[in-house]
């Protein structure tokens, strides 16, 4: 494990996003949007990087370094962005907000389509979108009250899982990922402050609390998840041992980074993993 260096192209992109604000502020475009140097969330696309800020969205093109802003003038509603996900199959960006609004942005046309189903779910006092995962034609959203399944073809909410195992109803889900369960069957894993939970991916009724099992191997909270080379990784752990953990074949979890920081996202990139905290991005090559 090492701190991501300038030799990595992706780090250069991240560095440009995170620290370029003062330099870019000299241009006319950036003087109008001073909060663009405070990036909250990012999402990778084949040709660049999408970033969400309090001022709006912008796209950083890797080939030429061009920065393309998307503000309320261009269509996005604006406000605090909780999650981004680039949908390569449809060529669109999905944007989730802290109040539950979901937007679809088509970069080719600039058209923005809003979806208000989560915003209107007023039985839950907090409805923010924390993570967006694209699974085929569905979006699986980790929200402040559980998991929301949104159909991209029907453009509507298909399911909601708000009762997860022994957790209180409406517990927030920080992240989610598809990965085999301990018995080898396809599973859906959830990262919550109460730990990791998994269910049968093909289960007929994941709305039932008993459909979910808690993973006993990882102690403490879980903030992020990813699969890499057939192995499940989680950002989490006890309060004094927050780190990147790897799930072993026997169900035990091995601490792999030793940062003692909350890892908010884990992104597979080539032969490595990016473990992202509020202050650093770590490049981790499993087995090295």
């Amino acid at each position: 494990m090492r701190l991501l260096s300038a030799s990595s192209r992706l780090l250069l992109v991240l560095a440009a996003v995170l620290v370029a604000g003062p330099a870019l502020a000299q241009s006319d475009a950036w003087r109008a949007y001073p909060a663009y140097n405070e990036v909250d969330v990012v999402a990778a696309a084949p040709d660049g990087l999408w970033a969400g800020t309090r001022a709006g969205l912008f796209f950083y093109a890797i080939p030429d370094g061009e920065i393309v802003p998307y503000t309320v003038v261009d269509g996005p509603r604006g406000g605090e962005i909780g999650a981004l996900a680039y949908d390569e199959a449809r060529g669109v960006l999905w944007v989730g907000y802290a109040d539950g609004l979901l937007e679809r942005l088509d970069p080719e046309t600039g058209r923005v389509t809003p979806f208000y189903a989560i915003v209107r779910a007023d039985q839950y006092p907090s409805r923010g979108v924390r993570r967006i995962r694209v699974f085929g034609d569905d979006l699986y959203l980790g929200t402040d009250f559980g998991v929301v399944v949104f159909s991209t073809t029907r453009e509507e909410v298909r399911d909601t899982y708000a009762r997860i195992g022994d957790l209180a109803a409406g517990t927030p889900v920080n992240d989610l990922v598809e990965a085999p369960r301990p018995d080898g069957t396809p599973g859906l894993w959830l990262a919550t402050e109460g730990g990791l939970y998994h269910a049968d991916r093909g289960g007929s009724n994941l709305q039932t609390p008993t459909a979910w099992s808690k993973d006993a191997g990882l102690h403490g909270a879980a903030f992020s998840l990813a699969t890499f080379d057939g192995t499940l990784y989680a950002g989490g752990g006890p309060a004094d041992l927050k780190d990147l953990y790897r799930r072993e074949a026997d169900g035990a979890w091995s601490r792999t980074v030793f940062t003692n920081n909350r890892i908010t996202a884990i992104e597979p990139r080539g032969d490595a993993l990016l473990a992202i905290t509020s202050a650093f991005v770590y490049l981790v090559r499993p087995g090295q």
Side-chain angles (χ1 to χ4, degrees), residues 223-224 234-236 243-244 257 259 261-266 275-277:
F223 314 117
S224 53
D243 254 308
L244 180 67
V257 174
T259 67
N261 274 306
R262 178 177 177 136
I263 295 176
T264 58
I266 312 166
I276 302 169
T277 73

Side-chain angles (χ1 to χ4, degrees), residues 145-216:
F145 58 86
V147 177
V148 172
V149 184
F150 180 86
S151 170
T152 64
T153 55
R154 299 174 61 179
E155 298 187 350
E156 64 184 19
V157 170
R158 185 170 64 79
D159 228 336
T160 300
Y161 313 139
R163 301 171 64 197
I164 309 297
D166 58 359
L167 296 173
T171 293
V173 171
N174 297 319
D175 202 352
L176 61 163
V177 72
E178 293 179 309
R181 303 180 74 197
D183 62 3
T185 59
L188 179 65
W189 291 73
L190 309 182
T192 77
E193 298 286 341
L196 284 178
Y197 287 79
H198 57 81
D200 181 354
R201 187 72 178 83
S204 59
N205 188 9
L206 300 190
Q207 295 178 348
T208 304
T210 55
W212 299 89
S213 300
K214 184 174 183 178
D215 183 272

Side-chain angles (χ1 to χ4, degrees), residues 5 16 23 28 52 89 96 121 129 139 158-159 161 179 262 285-286 288:
S5 69
D28 291 339
V129 179
L139 302 182
R158 185 170 64 79
D159 228 336
Y161 313 139
R262 178 177 177 136
R285 287 197 170 92
Q288 299 182 24

Side-chain angles (χ1 to χ4, degrees), residues 237-268:
D240 57 341
L241 294 172
K242 297 188 296 294
D243 254 308
L244 180 67
Y245 287 83
R246 180 182 65 243
R247 192 174 191 276
E248 307 295 351
D250 62 359
W253 290 83
S254 299
R255 191 180 181 198
T256 62
V257 174
F258 302 94
T259 67
N260 196 27
N261 274 306
R262 178 177 177 136
I263 295 176
T264 58
I266 312 166
E267 295 293 339

Side-chain angles (χ1 to χ4, degrees), residues 33-102:
Y33 311 110
Y36 269 10
N37 63 349
E38 298 177 4
V39 175
D40 295 318
V41 290
V42 295
D47 54 349
L49 187 77
W50 288 93
T53 78
R54 300 299 175 91
L57 295 163
F58 67 85
F59 179 73
Y60 179 91
I62 290 177
D64 56 13
E66 181 185 7
I67 294 176
V68 182
Y70 292 82
T71 69
V72 293
V73 176
D74 304 299
R77 196 280 310 273
E80 183 179 351
I81 298 174
L84 295 174
Y86 183 75
D87 186 345
E88 192 165 354
R90 281 157 282 275
V92 300
L93 180 75
W94 295 97
V95 185
Y97 289 88
D99 65 352
L101 177 66
L102 178 68

